[in-house]
Amino acid sequence: MPDTPPPVEWTPHEIPALLIGIAARQLARINEERLRPLGLAIAQIPVVVALKDGAAIPQKELARIAGVEQPSMAQLLARMERDGLIARAPNPDDGRSSLVSLTPKAMAQLDPGRRMLLAGNADALRGMTPAEVESFTALLQRVIANLSPQAEPGP
């Protein structure tokens, strides 16, 4: 009778990747609740940040910045346009595309939205020293880099 391998210890509360996922879902839920009264959603944040300085950017570039596929960005922008958060204008360099920019309505929500997200960040990091936050941030950036499409597989 062949030897059976020992059972794998299953302790999800000790697996960093699972803990990151739990924290991400909790933060997303809390931030959605905080942003909702402003008419914003967490999925819109990459677009809002990219356009915050009055920029006008094509949809394709926004999809690249946000790290999403074009169809997902098209749906997000359609909802944002419906809600009066973005405007589209013809792209003078490419007649097939349009340039996306924030409306005054969206611009008015930038500071309140930023304050709400920073409050959520402070809640999540409560009790950590500045050095711990710096270390934690560096470690999360490394995890993200390790998981990016251009990262080389590990051993």
Side-chain angles (χ1 to χ4, degrees):
M1 182 165 174
D3 290 337
T4 58
V8 175
E9 187 65 30
W10 181 247
T11 53
H13 62 281
E14 295 176 1
I15 300 173
L18 294 177
L19 292 172
I20 290 168
I22 291 167
R25 286 188 297 280
Q26 289 177 344
L27 283 168
R29 181 183 48 77
I30 290 166
N31 286 328
E32 285 291 348
E33 290 170 4
R34 289 177 184 218
L35 291 173
R36 190 173 299 120
L38 299 176
L40 298 173
I42 202 71
Q44 298 167 341
I45 296 305
V47 172
V48 171
V49 170
L51 301 174
K52 71 180 177 0
D53 294 323
I57 299 176
Q59 175 181 312
K60 183 176 181 179
E61 179 65 10
L62 288 171
R64 186 195 64 74
I65 291 168
V68 299
E69 297 294 325
Q70 283 265 25
S72 298
M73 181 55 65
Q75 290 176 348
L76 178 66
L77 293 177
R79 286 191 302 274
M80 291 179 77
E81 187 172 30
R82 176 200 68 205
D83 295 341
L85 298 173
I86 62 153
R88 298 178 197 246
N91 185 344
D93 298 329
D94 181 356
R96 298 168 296 155
S97 71
S98 59
L99 297 175
V100 178
S101 60
L102 293 180
T103 63
K105 176 182 177 180
M107 294 293 272
Q109 300 304 339
L110 290 178
D111 284 337
R114 184 180 303 121
R115 281 192 300 274
M116 289 181 176
L117 292 175
L118 289 174
N121 189 65
D123 290 344
L125 301 174
R126 187 177 30 247
M128 291 187 188
T129 66
E132 287 172 327
V133 171
E134 185 177 327
S135 177
F136 182 61
T137 301
L139 291 169
L140 287 173
Q141 289 170 338
R142 190 179 321 160
V143 168
I144 292 166
N146 288 345
L147 298 174
S148 72
Q150 57 272 42
E152 293 186 25

